[in-house]
């Protein structure tokens, strides 16, 4: 009992010591860093607790050194972001909140002048081309920007696969999420690893996957793309994919929050979901919450009208829906609205209006099918005082931090 008591006392003293070190360092850093430093403090304490069987004096020194290294890295990250934010014009900040989707917008003049966050490649960018041809284009686009681009793709497997259209000998046809879930965890991991190896060879650093929707009706639009009709199975799929993507250095994005369910295709029109919030919480939110817990880089919000929360707006344009992500699910990463160039949006408003509304709702990023129009809408909201510079800065800082975390932006 005495030995146990001494061990407990030592752990308590150690934790107090670590807290003093961390809080002491906090005292000399800027106020803006406080949120990220608190995370580091928690990591320091967890590390100490997990290693309490180590040599005691060595443990103290190693843990202290680890804390200081993490805090030093935070200083570097924040210093880079602060410097970048000083240099960016308001137009460039807004462009860092946009991913260009239109081939007519993806050219040197736009990239050099506005420094957009990124681009997305579709089937047309792959079909009939070799890996080297696509890679050369990626490298060319990256050469036009000072802040490296997110180069994204929808590579889910199954019906939504860009890689399968390459003119490359031996290119596999990747299974859908549902097929992989039926095959089990090893199949999911191996499939994801193979897909990521191809994406990395091309220079693609962001995959808009995994799909996290829970869909159980075979006639539903999202059935084949969704991993399962069981929330826990879908969550396991999401976790497995994110784990592999993180190890391979490709950004992940869970979609389509708050959960597509068994609804119709929002590319073609409206989709209203009348289910109670409790059903979402018990079912649809489960895979997304798992993704948040596993450190997913982005969450994509769909155009489903979630009647239980906001019957007036699609989820992508709804402040209360975004508050669920931020407040209830404690997600502090990048939120992106699904493509605004869909009929669920454009049947009731223009692209310019939708671009502004999406940013005002709390999205850090949007897809821009018409860059000049999206910029007009965002600037108009800013000049009216609706979209504040504080909100813009918060989103841009998230985007830059995400790029740094994943090595897209390298800091020294």
């Amino acid at each position: 009992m005495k030995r146990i008591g001494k061990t407990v006392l030592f752990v308590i003293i150690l934790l107090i010591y670590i807290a003093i070190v961390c809080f002491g360092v906090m005292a000399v850093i800027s106020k803006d860093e406080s949120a990220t430093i608190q995370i580091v403090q928690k990591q320091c304490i967890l590390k100490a607790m997990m290693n309490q069987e180590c040599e005691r004096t060595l443990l103290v020194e190693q843990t202290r050194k680890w804390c200081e290294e993490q805090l030093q890295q935070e200083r570097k990250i924040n210093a880079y972001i602060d410097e970048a934010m000083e240099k960016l014009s308001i137009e460039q900040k807004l462009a860092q909140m946009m991913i260009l989707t239109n081939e007519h917008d993806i050219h040197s003049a736009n990239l050099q002048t506005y420094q957009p966050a990124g681009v997305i490649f579709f089937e047309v960018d792959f079909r009939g081309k070799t890996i080297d041809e696509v890679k050369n284009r990626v490298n060319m686009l990256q050469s036009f920007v000072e802040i490296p681009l997110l180069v994204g793709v929808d590579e889910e497997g199954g019906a939504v696969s860009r890689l399968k259209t390459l003119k490359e000998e031996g290119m596999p046809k990747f299974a859908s999420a549902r097929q992989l879930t039926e095959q089990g965890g090893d199949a999911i991991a191996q499939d994801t690893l193979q897909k990521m190896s191809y994406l990395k060879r091309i220079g693609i650093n962001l995959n808009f996957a995994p799909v996290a929707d829970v869909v159980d009706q075979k006639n539903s639009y999202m059935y084949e793309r969704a991993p399962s009709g069981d929330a826990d199975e879908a969550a396991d799929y999401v976790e497995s994919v994110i784990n592999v993507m993180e190890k391979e250095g490709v950004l992940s994005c869970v979609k389509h929050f708050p959960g597509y369910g068994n609804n119709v295709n929002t590319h073609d029109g409206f989709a209203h979901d009348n289910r109670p919030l409790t059903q979402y919480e018990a079912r649809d939110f489960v895979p997304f919450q798992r993704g948040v817990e596993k450190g997913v880089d982005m969450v994509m919000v769909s155009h489903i009208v979630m009647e239980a929360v906001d019957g007036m707006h699609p989820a992508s344009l709804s402040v209360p829906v975004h508050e669920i992500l931020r407040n209830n699910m404690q997600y502090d990463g990048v939120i992106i609205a699904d493509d605004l160039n869909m009929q669920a949006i454009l049947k009731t408003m223009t692209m310019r209006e939708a671009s502004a509304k999406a940013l005002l709702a709390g999205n850090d990023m949007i897809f821009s099918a018409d860059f000049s129009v999206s910029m007009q809408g965002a600037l108009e909201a800013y000049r009216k005082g609706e979209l504040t510079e504080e909100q813009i800065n918060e989103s841009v800082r998230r985007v830059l931090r995400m790029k740094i975390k994943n090595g897209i932006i390298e800091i020294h």
Side-chain angles (χ1 to χ4, degrees), residues 223-241:
Y223 182 81
E224 279 300 327
R225 293 172 60 189
S228 177
D230 178 86
D232 291 328
E233 278 190 350
D236 290 343
Y237 170 82
V238 165
E239 178 177 350
S240 181
V241 171

Side-chain angles (χ1 to χ4, degrees), residues 168-188:
E168 199 75 28
E169 188 174 347
M171 178 61 63
K173 290 187 177 180
F174 296 103
S176 69
R178 189 166 294 269
Q179 291 169 327
L180 290 169
T181 301
E182 291 170 353
Q183 293 172 34
D186 289 343
I188 296 168

Side-chain angles (χ1 to χ4, degrees), residues 128-193:
K129 298 179 176 65
T130 65
I131 286 176
D132 285 341
E133 286 173 331
V134 183
K135 181 179 180 179
N136 288 339
R137 184 173 181 227
V138 170
N139 291 338
M140 180 188 68
L141 295 176
Q142 291 286 17
S143 72
F144 296 140
V145 294
E146 294 179 22
I147 299 175
L149 293 165
L150 298 171
V151 182
V153 67
D154 290 308
E155 184 54 53
E156 302 171 13
V160 183
S161 175
R162 313 309 183 197
L163 290 173
K164 70 182 181 183
T165 67
L166 284 168
K167 186 180 68 177
E168 199 75 28
E169 188 174 347
M171 178 61 63
K173 290 187 177 180
F174 296 103
S176 69
R178 189 166 294 269
Q179 291 169 327
L180 290 169
T181 301
E182 291 170 353
Q183 293 172 34
D186 289 343
I188 296 168
Q190 289 302 314
D191 177 270
T192 306
L193 182 62

Side-chain angles (χ1 to χ4, degrees), residues 201-212:
R201 283 174 60 189
I202 294 169
I204 289 171
N205 52 35
L206 166 60
N207 187 20
F208 290 103
V211 172

